[in-house]
Amino acid sequence: MDIVVAPDAMAACREAAARIAAYMRGTPEPVLGLATGRTMEAIYHVLVGMHRNGLSFARCRSFNLDEYYPIAPDDPRSYHAYMRERLFRHVDIAPERTRVPDGAAPDPERECRAYEDAIRAAGGIGLQLLGIGLTGHIGFNEPPSDFATRTRLVELDETTRRQNAEMFDDRWQDVPRRALTMGVGTILDARRLLMVATGAAKARIVRDALDGPVTPMVSASALRQHPACTVILDEEAAGLLRSGG
């Protein structure tokens, strides 16, 4: 695992965007695994700026980590809407080359199987972007999450729902109780992993994931088993690491 500590949050996001762009430029048919959240907004902002200066997304395919369930794709609080507004509508990726789990699927188990099939049909994810939640989750893999799990319907922890309340007018009770998420095993199948965490609020869980035991109680700890994982932190998020990053 390669741990990179940037001086501040924006520098961390710029470093992440630069690595994503390098992967895209160096790969004939890039397959991106994408994430959502406040940290990702800054990364996508930088990537949109790179696109305006010549970075093309036309050859890319993308798969998002997760989506609330149930929620309609056109709901402004959905991750479909998040991705459209933060990235997709600003770059030259065709809509049919992007995929987010369908939070309105009448049969969620069938949707999860189809999602796994689509990732395999695309040749697998080349680079998976990740954040880390306060419960240690990657995607919505709440504790405990077996490291062999595949895309599935999960129950969300109250901590996670409170953390994500901003998109629901700060009413955490309105955040859906369930979500569709790539499993830990699905994430670990990606050829490269790139996790980004910023801010002092993430310092404890970053320490638990990177310095604590590798355990299903902290699904992000599974990243330490991956042969090509980079973690980018700002100084605040790295503040409790034994190595200091």
Side-chain angles (χ1 to χ4, degrees):
M1 176 178 283
D2 182 23
I3 301 176
V4 177
V5 180
D8 55 48
M10 197 62 225
C13 292
R14 284 195 295 267
E15 177 66 22
R19 289 172 182 251
I20 295 167
Y23 162 72
M24 290 167 56
R25 291 183 177 116
T27 307
E29 296 184 11
V31 182
L32 294 170
L34 299 178
T36 55
R38 286 185 289 275
T39 301
M40 305 305 151
E41 291 181 24
I43 295 171
Y44 295 147
H45 177 76
V46 175
L47 286 170
V48 168
M50 289 181 172
H51 169 68
R52 291 171 179 157
N53 286 302
L55 177 67
S56 176
F57 286 73
R59 294 179 293 108
C60 292
R61 292 187 179 276
S62 73
F63 293 88
N64 263 73
L65 280 169
D66 43 37
E67 177 62 284
Y68 295 115
Y69 189 88
I71 197 166
D74 60 355
D75 189 312
R77 303 167 299 179
S78 72
Y79 286 151
H80 280 80
Y82 174 106
M83 292 306 304
R84 282 195 304 272
E85 293 305 310
R86 271 71 173 192
L87 182 65
F88 295 155
R89 75 181 184 89
H90 301 288
V91 300
D92 59 340
I93 190 168
E96 62 270 18
R97 296 178 71 85
T98 70
R99 187 150 180 175
V100 181
D102 183 0
D107 184 340
E109 292 185 1
R110 182 176 180 180
E111 168 65 11
C112 292
R113 291 193 299 270
Y115 209 72
E116 290 279 334
D117 290 345
I119 292 172
R120 283 192 291 271
I125 291 171
L127 186 151
Q128 177 66 62
L129 178 62
L130 300 163
I132 181 171
L134 294 178
T135 66
H137 63 251
I138 47 176
F140 272 136
N141 291 286
E142 301 280 24
S145 285
D146 189 278
F147 293 169
T149 51
R150 314 306 300 187
T151 302
R152 69 203 195 285
L153 182 66
V154 296
E155 297 286 330
L156 297 180
D157 190 277
E158 181 180 315
T159 299
T160 299
R161 294 171 67 214
R162 288 181 180 275
Q163 183 184 354
N164 292 0
E166 183 178 356
M167 291 177 66
F168 292 81
D169 298 323
D170 291 321
R171 290 180 49 83
W172 73 267
Q173 299 92 337
D174 292 343
V175 178
R177 295 176 179 271
R178 298 189 292 173
L180 303 174
T181 185
M182 289 187 197
V184 179
T186 311
I187 292 167
L188 293 178
D189 279 349
R191 287 182 283 281
R192 303 185 206 177
L193 301 178
L194 179 62
M195 189 179 88
V196 185
T198 61
K202 295 291 179 73
R204 181 192 62 81
I205 198 60
V206 165
R207 177 201 61 196
D208 292 350
L210 303 187
D211 281 344
V214 176
T215 169
M217 296 305 295
V218 180
S219 64
S221 68
L223 304 186
R224 286 152 59 188
Q225 299 180 343
H226 195 278
C229 178
T230 299
V231 176
I232 301 177
L233 309 169
D234 68 357
E235 290 183 354
E236 289 187 336
L240 297 181
L241 292 178
R242 283 195 298 264
S243 64

